[in-house]
Amino acid sequence: MNTTKTNVKTSRRRPLFGRMYPKMASAMAEGGMTERRESLLAGLTGEVIEVGAGHGVNFAHYPAEVTRLVAVEPEPRLRAQAQAAAAKAAIPMEVVPGVGEHLPLADHSVDAVVYCMVLCSLPDVGAALAEARRVLKPDGQIRFLEHVRADTAGLARVQDVLDATIWPRLVGGCHVGRDAEAAIRRAGFHIHRLDRFLFPPSRTPVSFHILGTAVRGGDE
Ligand SMILES: C[S@@+](CC[C@H](N)C(=O)[O-])C[C@H]1O[C@@H](n2cnc3c(N)ncnc32)[C@H](O)[C@@H]1O
């Protein structure tokens, strides 16, 4: 692993979010999110990095064909729980402090980068997706499962109000109204699979989700 970028702040404490998020994730699992997580990770092989792994709720769902997983997580409480989950996992995993904007990996070294409900929380989505391009092998892919911008102007306006006021402070820097699909395309990825779904299955400002795969493709 390349750890030369020592000036990057790789830890960020969010104590309230760190305590609250595992409960939110359990509630989502009860609502059916586990199947989406399995679908996100199905078919992955080789070396993978998961960005913003939280408390490691995805770890049990990685296929056996993944030979090594590196997970970065800036929030210390969640990271400690992820490290405990990694110790019980069936495939080799390491969980390290880190942020999506500066990945601790060499250029063109991994087969896949996984984002799961994390593009909404990154301070600089463009920089993070550029990092994904840097660390991915030329035939590498990103997998993403994200809540995204609503498909009507009215709900999108509500999302904008939430994002400008309480939501990021309440939910660990999350933004409900981000257009993750557009950000992925802007970063030069080619989307190969894109499923849209409502979770929970009603039209609220936080229900709009996408799940998909995009490939790196060549550099321009
Ligand atoms: C909504 S949680 C999702 C956690 C996990 N991926 C999951 O599917 O349950 C968002 C995560 O992104 C992390 N995060 C926030 N800023 C980040 C950054 N700049 N780089 C990487 N992860 C970040 C948070 O600490 C948190 O664990």
Side-chain angles (χ1 to χ4, degrees):
M1 202 189 305
N2 171 8
T3 52
T4 52
K5 288 174 172 164
T6 48
N7 56 345
V8 173
K9 194 171 184 310
T10 55
S11 266
R12 171 152 194 203
R13 271 172 51 73
R14 291 187 186 271
L16 181 61
F17 180 71
R19 277 200 302 278
M20 197 175 72
Y21 185 68
K23 296 186 182 81
M24 290 170 64
S26 294
M28 287 191 278
E30 278 165 29
M33 188 53 86
T34 303
E35 280 171 31
R36 303 289 183 178
R37 292 183 184 277
E38 287 166 355
S39 175
L40 171 73
L41 304 173
L44 285 175
T45 60
E47 303 209 1
V48 177
I49 182 163
E50 181 172 338
V51 176
H55 59 306
V57 68
N58 282 329
F59 292 173
H61 307 301
Y62 278 90
E65 290 75 17
V66 172
T67 52
R68 178 188 179 218
L69 177 75
V70 175
V72 296
E73 171 51 51
E75 207 295 314
R77 184 184 180 102
L78 292 173
R79 186 170 63 244
Q81 292 180 49
Q83 284 163 339
K88 292 187 210 137
I91 60 169
M93 293 186 182
E94 55 200 291
V95 181
V96 295
V99 291
E101 294 86 345
H102 299 277
L103 298 177
L105 295 175
D107 294 358
H108 311 312
S109 58
V110 290
D111 298 285
V113 178
V114 172
Y115 297 107
C116 187
M117 293 179 249
V118 73
L119 292 176
C120 55
S121 300
L122 298 177
D124 190 339
V125 180
L129 290 166
E131 267 297 86
R133 285 188 69 83
R134 180 184 70 75
V135 302
L136 277 172
K137 295 175 184 172
D139 61 349
Q141 58 178 290
I142 60 171
R143 296 286 182 96
F144 50 91
L145 167 52
E146 297 289 335
H147 63 81
V148 293
R149 196 156 183 81
D151 64 359
T152 62
L155 277 173
R157 263 198 303 279
V158 177
Q159 291 179 322
D160 288 341
V161 171
L162 288 170
D163 285 349
T165 54
I166 52 166
W167 196 264
R169 268 177 281 166
L170 277 181
V171 192
C174 170
H175 297 79
V176 279
R178 280 206 180 150
D179 188 344
E181 178 189 344
I184 290 166
R185 291 188 196 279
R186 261 198 313 276
F189 288 94
H190 305 289
I191 296 183
H192 275 192
R193 171 192 177 194
L194 186 64
D195 302 336
R196 297 179 194 282
F197 62 98
L198 293 173
F199 182 91
S202 54
R203 298 176 61 80
T204 78
V206 295
S207 308
F208 293 83
H209 284 73
I210 57 173
L211 189 162
T213 302
V215 294
R216 182 186 184 284
D219 292 319
E220 306 296 300

